[in-house]
Amino acid sequence: FRIIGVSYSSPNTTITVDGCNINNSNGYGINITSTSASLKNSLIDKSGCLAGMGSPDGASYSGVKMRSAGGLVEYNKITNSGYCAIMFYNNNFMVRYNEIDGFCSQLTDGGGIYTFVGDPASISSGQKVYNNIVMNGGANGLYSDNSANNIEWYNNTVINVDRNGMHINDPFSLSVHHNTFYNCTTAGI
């Protein structure tokens, strides 16, 4: 069976998770889908670190997965995630002031901070990823995947990752500026 730290799904609610300490979950540390959600001032450690305990698609090995218009992930420390440390989706989403240390130890097609759209006709707006520190990962530091669009990535620091500091896969209308990439095995961007 899977153990999940916090999992909640309801399209018409506002969820705030503040000051929580979540350790040793076999699946997600946090998995929230809601109208408006925020995760603040929390410590999430050792999410999805045991092979075979997560969902077959692998996404549940992540520290945080949030799908929310107007979402906010800030001032968290996310360590030792089997897959992505933070996965975020939807408009007006902000990911800022987080410290990520250790990610993609089980699955390596991901990143410290990851987003995905999948449909080029789906236009996003108001997404910002800034002032985060991402380090010691088994894949990409920042990852804008499959038609992710209209995201501003700035003032992030990425250190010691096994692939790219930032991996950009089939995006459009991104703004990437004032980031620092150090000791990235494949490339900075």
Side-chain angles (χ1 to χ4, degrees), residues 73-126:
V73 177
E74 68 178 359
Y75 298 107
N76 302 289
K77 185 170 185 176
I78 303 163
T79 54
N80 305 308
S81 300
Y83 188 39
C84 299
I86 298 172
M87 301 173 83
F88 74 95
Y89 308 90
N90 280 2
N91 294 328
N92 302 314
F93 207 113
M94 281 197 253
V95 179
R96 61 188 184 190
Y97 305 108
N98 298 287
E99 180 183 331
I100 296 167
D101 188 357
F103 57 92
C104 289
S105 62
Q106 297 299 317
L107 300 168
T108 59
D109 183 22
I113 302 174
Y114 173 90
T115 191
F116 169 92
V117 172
D119 178 5
S122 180
I123 305 300
S124 302
S125 65

Side-chain angles (χ1 to χ4, degrees), residues 136-137 158-165 181-187:
N136 303 318
V158 176
I159 306 164
N160 298 330
V161 295
D162 286 348
R163 291 199 179 160
N164 302 302
F181 303 109
Y182 177 76
N183 202 26
C184 305
T185 301
T186 307

Side-chain angles (χ1 to χ4, degrees), residues 4-7 17 20 22 25 28-32 39 44 47 62-66:
I4 296 175
V6 173
S7 184
V17 177
C20 291
I22 300 168
S25 55
Y28 296 110
I30 300 279
N31 179 16
I32 295 175
L39 169 64
I44 298 144
S47 300
S62 298
V64 174
K65 178 184 175 191
M66 286 180 59

Side-chain angles (χ1 to χ4, degrees), residues 8-14 33-36:
Y8 186 84
S9 181
S10 178
N12 297 314
T13 57
T14 299
T33 299
S34 72
T35 303
S36 179

